[in-house]
Amino acid sequence: MRLPSRFAVLVTLLGTGGLAYGQAQLVPTDAPKPVEEQTIIKGWNPFLAFTGTFNLVSNSNVIGQVDGTSTVFGAGLLGGADYVDGKHFLQLSLAATEAFARTPVIHRFIKSTDAAKLEGVYNYFLIANAGLYGRLSLATSFFSSDDIRGAPTSWVDATGMAPVPLATNATSQHLADGFEPFTISESAGGFYDPIKKDEIALSLRLGVGGRSTFADGVLVNHDNAATPEIELLELSTVHQLGIEAFAGAVGKLEKGKFNYKAGLAVLLPFVNNDAADRSTTKLTRVAFEATLTYTMAAWLSVVYSSQIIRDPQLFPAGKDEVQVQNTLLATFQFSLVKKKEAPKPKTKEEQALEDAIHRAEQAEKELKEAQKKLEEKTATSPIDTSQPTPPAPPTATPPVNQTP
């Protein structure tokens, strides 16, 4: 949906209460961990959090501002669960964010963020840092999408050779129904985690990946600034199967105040339903995603996210677009079910000190027990009267002083 520039800046700076995921979330919530580690929480470990934001601005005779009231409010739901059993690691995640806004330019609430994603990742560890994986994800939007303007505008369909008028001198153009587009992604193969540290945890995946995006009839902006109309393109339903490669990293800096995630995924669709019969290399899907989070308090974070996607098969031949999304937002988060944190492993110095204290406490306990046994033995021992009593030593008589 195309928004007026002033309103777009307002939404970007104030945030929407949660991350706006695109067609695919590339980086898992947590990097896979070896299940043999002592710090792993065994069994189920669920979490559920609510995020939200609200902003209200009223202007009257303010220079450079339109008189009236601007309102932005949003809500999000973040949840999921981890399950560990032996060599099996299952991770489920749910992310849903919604935001709506109203400005003096557009006198109605319109959605600025609408994204929902459900994902499951299964890992089977053959060794401590490598094994097999399977992944399934569903991504869509809940509500219908419309391009709404504050002044009469004309839209045309520029999918074909000649533009086709859609709406003339109107204030809105329908782009997509609810739950459109709808994307299903699945993949299976092998993974390798060469580095596992708090500062950086690196994950590599290679396998077979499939993807279906149901997008027939969905319109997307393809505007040419040189024309008075707004050009739109009609997307197509995409089915792909091929080789998928992924590299991602997560980490914590400054004692956990800064958290980052980054991932790059490439899908070579050897099997596809492209109507233009383009080659595999031309249809290769490349997606990059990065997120940096600064935690100001347990309930307040500032999040910057960037997403770049090249997905040629969605667009008509010769008119594909690189999708770029940058978001800066403040997130107010309230945990309803908090995820259990595994205890951190002790350093060598901490373990040596703990062992020394334990040995000292054990030695002191053994000493007290020995002293107690000795006192009990002394108190209960009988006096031996079979031997005669030795005579008392003679008393020495002091010499008598004589006067010369």
Side-chain angles (χ1 to χ4, degrees), residues 53-299:
T53 187
F54 177 77
N55 181 264
L56 180 67
V57 178
S58 179
N59 294 315
S60 178
N61 301 320
V62 178
I63 298 176
Q65 301 293 332
V66 179
D67 287 355
T69 301
S70 299
T71 306
V72 179
F73 69 92
L77 190 66
L78 303 174
D82 294 346
Y83 179 78
V84 174
D85 182 13
K87 297 182 179 181
H88 306 276
F89 183 92
L90 176 64
Q91 186 177 64
L92 305 175
S93 62
L94 169 66
T97 57
E98 302 294 335
F100 300 88
R102 180 182 182 275
T103 70
V105 178
I106 302 176
H107 301 283
R108 56 178 287 191
F109 280 99
I110 62 175
K111 71 172 185 176
S112 56
T113 301
D114 180 15
K117 182 177 178 64
L118 177 64
E119 183 177 45
V121 179
Y122 168 75
N123 293 278
Y124 179 80
F125 287 86
L126 299 174
I127 58 176
N129 60 348
L132 305 176
Y133 80 92
R135 177 173 175 262
L136 174 65
S137 68
L138 309 175
T140 189
S141 299
F142 286 125
F143 303 103
S144 61
S145 299
D146 297 281
D147 189 352
I148 301 175
R149 306 297 174 114
T153 307
S154 298
W155 288 266
V156 296
D157 185 348
T159 305
M161 297 298 294
V164 177
L166 295 175
T168 303
N169 293 326
T171 56
S172 66
Q173 168 63 44
H174 184 66
L175 300 179
D177 294 333
F179 296 97
E180 288 185 347
F182 187 89
T183 299
I184 303 175
S185 300
E186 58 279 326
S187 60
F191 72 88
Y192 175 52
D193 303 325
I195 302 176
K196 286 188 176 297
K197 297 181 180 180
D198 287 343
E199 296 79 12
I200 179 172
L202 182 62
S203 179
L204 305 175
R205 295 201 303 256
L206 179 64
V208 178
R211 164 275 187 107
S212 294
T213 297
F214 300 92
D216 281 343
V218 174
L219 298 175
V220 65
N221 190 288
H222 186 70
D223 189 29
N224 182 358
T227 63
E229 302 87 2
I230 303 298
E231 284 81 12
L232 302 177
L233 293 179
E234 183 176 349
L235 304 184
S236 301
T237 292
V238 174
H239 301 293
Q240 294 179 336
L241 178 67
I243 302 299
E244 183 184 61
F246 167 85
V250 299
K252 299 179 180 180
L253 304 173
E254 296 294 329
K255 298 181 179 180
K257 288 187 176 181
F258 286 93
N259 293 265
Y260 70 88
K261 300 178 182 180
L264 176 67
V266 178
L267 175 63
L268 281 73
F270 294 106
V271 180
N272 58 75
N273 66 327
D274 183 39
D277 197 23
R278 286 168 283 185
S279 66
T280 299
T281 54
K282 288 185 177 181
L283 296 179
T284 298
R285 183 178 188 269
V286 181
F288 171 79
E289 182 182 80
T291 301
L292 178 64
T293 303
Y294 174 64
T295 303
M296 303 177 65
W299 51 274

Side-chain angles (χ1 to χ4, degrees), residues 1-13 103 105-106 148-150:
M1 188 185 322
R2 186 172 176 178
L3 303 174
S5 59
R6 183 183 297 115
F7 177 67
V9 172
L10 176 67
V11 172
T12 301
L13 294 178
T103 70
V105 178
I106 302 176
I148 301 175
R149 306 297 174 114

